[in-house]
Amino acid sequence: MRDDPAEVAYRRGLALITALIMLTGVLWTVLAPPFRAPDEPQHVNSVLRLAYGGGWPAAGEALVGPAVTAARDQAKLETDLPGRHFDREDVPPFIAAPPLPDGDRFVVDAGNAPADPVPAGTSTRHLPEDAVDQMTQHPPLYYAVAALVLRGTGLAEARWDHQLLALRLFDVALLVPVPLLAAAAARRLSGSRPVALVAASFTLFVPQAGHIMGSVTNDALVTLSGAAITYLCVVVLGGDLRVRTAVWLGVALGVGLLTKVMVVFALPMVAAAYLVAPGSRSRRLRGTLLAGAVALVVGGWWWLRNLLVLGTVQPVGIPDRFAGGEPAGLWYFLRTGVTQVTRSFFGNFGWLELRIPDAVFWTAAVTIGALAVIALVRLSAARRAVAVLLLLPAALWLAVLANAWPGYQETGLIVAVQGRYLFAGLTALSVTTALGAAALLGPRIDRAVPWIVGAACAAAASGLVFGFWGFYQGPTSTVADAAVRWAGWSPLTGSQLAALVVLLALAAVAAVLACGLFARSTTLAETTAVPQASAATTAAGTGSSA
């Protein structure tokens, strides 16, 4: 009903939450120092290679081009941030390096962007690790689209910091649909607008998501793909077994698979959604097979080709350079690996250098786990759907640890254990935790929405402040010193940065106020329907509300 005041208030609140998430990502694009995100130089290098027609070499055979090497040097990447978890005596501090004047920053063009090809049969093992671009172990879709962005904006030939900012903003654009898909999925399952708004705000509780999605990384497209897959699985769980839905689900899977292997772990969720969806067995089987076939045609073929041609699903991008060591046992692996995944899911900024306090990320992790369990136990009508959605983050979590185990046994080191690999399941966690909050709060969920969104704003702001401190403020520096240093490294001016901070603060206030107005407009009929969504509503997936 277009004239329904509650619906109008809901849409206003959702729009402002989405705008707030977008602006948070935008602030991260200019807050993080240049290339201070996991593998960001290599991601940029692969984009530039495609932008200049350099192709997609075999894994381990791509080199970093002169432009990115020069940009790394100008960005003083080989320094330690002031908030680093420990200082290295042989590495100079970042804050001791004066920001490079804008006019002295390197301009990327056709003469310096591409790297010389690696001669056939030549190993890159003898080269420094930062000279090798390992991203060609992944499919090229994200990099091809990002290269089109540079070409389309006229920034293929530009200062490196302008290119970096443009690519970071492109990733923020990929983040924008995520809260909208989370809200739509939560509303379909619960029939509740308050639950949808809570689900939409979940990303703000994960500051690492803002940091990663505000950097240059193929994880941005993986996160969006995971969100689309999750939403479409909820549609299937509501009984939509149409051919069109299966095709769109296959496309979402295929796009993710043509980006990164992590999306393969969404397959159990998709299969389970069709398995438990209402409808005839033949239609459910048809949907499963059709979605799988479309996914294979769009992107799954890449991994099948790897298996047939290379004998492995994902080839190694950088030759093994780790010195041998003795593993400390299974318990050490689990304790360390689980801690690393959890911390880097919520807040391990830079190249995992800035570690948020243990109490913060463990509290967040326990809260999410508890809400998921509550949703499973208390929401009988949505229990199957919650269980299906949790398959994706659970599969990703197990896959990350399982992938690290062989290397640990061989070298004694735990590598490639990062929380951003779980971001394909971000929307699934958004929906399940929102449902858990609804089950916990019952009819009070509508009045709790502005408080939850306010808490989300506080979490996002805390992450930004922690990042500002860790990136720019040394032990003897003042906030003013750090602000000047930030402006010096940023492609924006100090006044532009200040305006962005003020705009973000205003958006946060507006989002909380809008959710407060929504809470006042919500009817008693809707709030009492939240704890136990009717089986008919869940089956129909209408997302209707009072």
Side-chain angles (χ1 to χ4, degrees):
M1 294 181 293
R2 293 186 177 181
D3 296 330
D4 178 6
E7 181 66 18
V8 173
Y10 164 74
R11 292 181 180 178
R12 184 186 302 117
L14 179 59
L16 285 169
I17 290 172
T18 303
L20 177 60
I21 290 172
M22 179 190 71
L23 288 171
T24 301
V26 170
L27 187 54
W28 274 110
T29 68
V30 293
L31 178 64
F35 301 116
R36 294 282 183 170
D39 302 320
E40 195 170 35
Q42 286 81 0
H43 288 300
V44 172
N45 186 75
S46 280
V47 173
L48 289 175
R49 186 192 315 108
L50 290 181
Y52 283 96
W56 204 248
E61 296 182 7
L63 300 180
V64 174
V68 172
T69 299
R72 283 175 55 106
D73 291 341
Q74 290 196 337
K76 304 301 180 184
L77 195 58
E78 304 303 326
T79 57
D80 276 354
L81 295 174
R84 198 177 192 276
H85 57 94
F86 72 90
D87 292 327
R88 296 174 291 183
E89 294 182 357
D90 58 336
V91 178
F94 176 64
I95 59 174
L100 190 70
D102 290 357
D104 294 339
R105 298 185 186 186
F106 198 81
V107 175
V108 179
D109 58 32
N112 55 49
D116 294 331
V118 177
T122 301
S123 172
T124 57
R125 184 181 296 273
H126 66 285
L127 297 176
E129 184 175 344
D130 58 13
V132 180
D133 180 355
Q134 75 271 29
M135 295 307 150
T136 55
Q137 66 180 326
H138 303 300
L141 179 60
Y142 166 81
Y143 304 96
V145 177
L148 290 175
V149 169
L150 285 186
R151 285 293 181 186
T153 56
L155 290 171
E157 293 189 5
R159 271 177 23 199
W160 61 264
D161 57 330
H162 288 169
Q163 289 183 333
L164 183 64
L165 179 57
L167 293 173
R168 285 179 170 184
L169 290 173
F170 165 63
D171 281 11
V172 173
L174 296 179
L175 174 63
V176 171
V178 172
L180 299 174
L181 290 167
R187 191 171 177 182
R188 276 183 171 268
L189 282 177
S190 67
S192 167
R193 299 183 185 106
V195 174
L197 291 177
V198 172
S201 67
F202 178 84
T203 301
L204 294 169
F205 284 105
V206 186
Q208 185 78 359
H211 173 46
I212 294 299
M213 299 295 282
S215 67
V216 185
T217 174
N218 57 5
D219 290 303
L221 187 53
V222 170
T223 303
L224 175 57
S225 174
I229 294 166
T230 301
Y231 169 73
L232 290 168
C233 281
V234 169
V235 172
V236 170
L237 287 164
D240 188 341
L241 302 178
R242 292 176 296 174
V243 168
R244 181 176 66 182
T245 302
V247 169
W248 279 115
L249 184 50
V251 170
L253 279 165
V255 167
L257 289 172
L258 203 55
T259 305
K260 202 167 187 175
V261 73
M262 306 310 296
V263 179
V264 75
F265 299 103
L267 294 177
M269 179 179 71
V270 174
Y274 275 106
L275 179 65
V276 305
S280 66
R281 180 181 299 177
S282 61
R283 294 184 68 199
R284 288 187 282 123
L285 179 60
R286 181 191 67 184
T288 305
L289 295 177
L290 182 57
V294 173
L296 179 64
V297 170
V298 175
W301 60 268
W302 177 275
W303 307 103
L304 180 61
R305 167 198 166 275
N306 282 352
L307 192 60
L308 295 176
V309 176
L310 305 176
T312 183
V313 174
Q314 178 166 294
V316 176
I318 298 179
D320 186 8
R321 303 162 187 268
F322 298 116
E326 289 295 326
L330 177 61
W331 172 242
Y332 172 83
F333 171 81
L334 290 175
R335 185 178 73 249
T336 305
V338 170
T339 299
Q340 288 181 5
V341 170
T342 307
R343 179 192 289 116
S344 59
F345 179 82
F346 289 103
N348 220 9
F349 309 132
W351 279 46
L352 311 182
E353 300 155 286
L354 309 183
R355 298 180 174 181
I356 62 172
D358 290 9
V360 174
F361 68 81
W362 280 124
T363 299
V366 170
T367 301
I368 289 175
L371 290 174
V373 171
I374 290 172
L376 281 171
V377 172
R378 298 182 60 178
L379 293 180
S380 58
R383 183 173 296 144
R384 283 187 175 184
V386 171
V388 169
L389 295 186
L390 287 175
L391 286 175
L392 177 53
L396 290 165
W397 188 83
L398 290 172
V400 168
L401 292 177
N403 180 65
W405 175 249
Y408 169 72
Q409 288 184 302
E410 182 178 349
T411 67
L413 299 175
I414 302 175
V415 297
V417 178
Q418 297 191 33
R420 62 191 172 94
Y421 297 155
L422 276 60
F423 284 174
L426 198 63
T427 298
L429 290 174
S430 302
V431 175
T432 53
T433 53
L435 290 170
L440 180 65
L441 296 172
R444 295 169 295 175
I445 183 67
D446 64 323
R447 297 188 296 274
V449 169
W451 296 97
I452 293 173
V453 173
C457 292
S462 298
L464 289 164
V465 170
F466 186 83
F468 172 79
W469 167 82
F471 289 139
Y472 300 105
Q473 189 172 355
T476 60
S477 300
T478 65
V479 173
D481 294 332
V484 170
R485 189 173 294 115
W486 176 25
W489 280 109
S490 174
L492 303 185
T493 65
S495 59
Q496 289 171 331
L497 293 174
L500 181 57
V501 172
V502 171
L503 182 61
L504 178 62
L506 292 175
V509 172
V512 174
L513 290 176
C515 290
L517 292 174
F518 164 77
R520 293 176 59 185
S521 67
T522 303
T523 64
L524 179 62
E526 180 180 41
T527 60
T528 55
V530 169
Q532 288 287 347
S534 68
T537 300
T538 303
T542 60
S544 62
S545 55

